[in-house]
Amino acid sequence: MLVDENFKQRLRRLFSVMIPILITQTAIMAMNFFDSSMSGHAGAVDLAGTSIGGNIWMPIFVGTNGVLLGAMPIVAHLLGGGKRGDIGKVIRHTIFLALAFSAVIILMGVLFLDTLLTHLHLEAQVHYIAKMYMAAVAVGVVPFFMSTSLRALIDTLGHTGITMKIYLLALPVNAFLNYCFIFGKLGLPRLGGIGAGVATGITYWLEFAIFVWIVHKLPAFADFRIFKDRFRLDFKQLRENLSIGVPIGLAMFMEASIFGVVALFIAKFGTVIIAAHQAALGFTSLLYMVPLSFSMALTILVGVEAGARRFEEAKKISRLGIAVNMSIAVFLTVLVYTNRPQIALLYTTDPVIIEKVVGFLFYAIFFQLFDATAAPIQGILRGYKDVKATFYSGFFAYWAVCLPLGCFLDFVLDHGPAAYWQSLDIGLFFSAVFLTLRMFWLQRKLEHEQQLQ
């Protein structure tokens, strides 16, 4: 009976952290969807411009966000080890990094964005919209990354429901501002696709204001004195933030950027294939929110237990998280396989495109299964502060296997556009195997070291 109760407590604890993260990540994804879909209704040129701008911004956003979320395992270890007094310093240094990265991103945009867009040989109007869309989004770069810093504190302390409510509040605000700025409603100028960037920038400032108010006012966070204590640069703390965050950010950047590169290789197959590929990838990205949410939740939960040196409990919560996630993944896999034509109809009514989407979704099934294995283990390893293994697995899976193998299957074996989905499946399989072995080795190593003490 005691074991059953412990199991129920772990399961309840896992879902109490994971479900709000899932809703938060879905809300963030929905904002990007609103930007694209509402811009599309403004015109094909506006959709093209915002899509180009979004594809450039996404790897930067994901990579930088990953560096800042490196604060989560650090805070989790301090929380588990009973060192709450050091948490404020970690978050203040994360905010410092957010400001520094924001300044670099804005400067790089000013210096090189126009040149980059020129090399893409876009139509003049598409070039202009992409440039101004990103300039508008840049208005919200500072508050967005500072919000990520504060989110690292709130989520790691177990208050993921607060973050969820903030992003759920921001979602309709973003949609309303899109409506006003894209189509020129309520006396505002009609900006088309550029208006989506303006709406996003304003929404980021709103989110940041709410995060600041919560961290400053609520008793659960006020004790950390994030904005009350004077900031003193501590190079040792800065080094720890970077040593944990940079490998996480690079791993996420490599994952986000590979899909942009694959899209370039697939473009040669024509409009129908491009549309089918984007539809299948969009649906796969939606499914990925589940393992991603488990990954982030396990980073927090395992980090707290590892910080307290309760390695047996960390192992149990790890195995529970993997088992529950895989159960959901298998269910979703069966659901996708049996409903591929219906899923394709969500994106298009063209029978030719539907046929291609159905074919890509077959490979997406395996992609989902292997990702559902790898992603939670990435979160577990990050919870142990083992971030280099996740970096190496990401580099190997996406850049040492996926891209070269995809080119080989395409150009040598003539597998066509499916070559790149096949190579993604194979790369993720090897990544999942490597991460699984690494997790088992690390858990045994930590338990052995604890026994020797």
Side-chain angles (χ1 to χ4, degrees), residues 168-187:
L168 284 179
L169 172 65
L171 184 59
V173 171
N174 179 252
F176 175 73
L177 291 175
N178 271 343
Y179 176 73
C180 293
F181 283 105
I182 291 174
F183 303 108
K185 303 298 181 180
L186 300 181

Side-chain angles (χ1 to χ4, degrees), residues 379-399:
I380 290 165
L381 291 173
R382 287 166 184 160
Y384 286 116
K385 290 188 177 180
D386 183 5
V387 292
K388 290 184 179 179
T390 59
F391 165 71
Y392 291 134
S393 71
F395 175 79
F396 177 78
Y398 292 111
W399 293 96

Side-chain angles (χ1 to χ4, degrees), residues 34-50 125 128-130 132-133 136 177-185 188-200:
F34 282 140
D35 279 1
S36 298
S37 62
M38 296 179 79
S39 296
H41 285 288
V45 172
D46 293 277
L47 176 59
T50 55
Q125 191 64 15
Y128 176 75
I129 291 173
M132 296 310 295
Y133 168 80
L177 291 175
N178 271 343
Y179 176 73
C180 293
F181 283 105
I182 291 174
F183 303 108
K185 303 298 181 180
L188 294 169
R190 187 184 187 282
L191 299 177
I194 300 169
V198 174
T200 299

Side-chain angles (χ1 to χ4, degrees), residues 20 24 154-155 158-168 210-211 214 218 220-221:
T24 298
I154 293 172
D155 284 2
H159 299 280
T160 51
I162 292 177
T163 303
M164 175 190 73
K165 291 172 185 176
I166 293 173
Y167 282 98
L168 284 179
I210 298 172
F211 271 114
I214 286 172
L218 293 192
F221 314 109

Side-chain angles (χ1 to χ4, degrees), residues 15-95:
F15 277 119
S16 69
V17 176
M18 175 267 173
I19 290 177
I21 291 177
L22 174 61
I23 296 171
T24 298
Q25 294 302 125
T26 306
I28 293 172
M29 190 174 180
M31 281 192 213
N32 297 328
F33 171 77
F34 282 140
D35 279 1
S36 298
S37 62
M38 296 179 79
S39 296
H41 285 288
V45 172
D46 293 277
L47 176 59
T50 55
S51 297
I52 293 293
N55 286 334
I56 295 172
W57 164 240
M58 187 55 64
I60 299 169
F61 150 74
V62 170
T64 306
N65 218 38
V67 175
L68 300 176
L69 288 176
M72 294 177 75
I74 300 174
V75 171
H77 274 248
L78 292 173
L79 189 64
K83 300 177 181 178
R84 293 173 63 91
D86 294 333
I87 291 176
K89 183 170 72 171
V90 173
I91 299 301
R92 281 190 289 275
H93 279 75
T94 308
I95 292 172

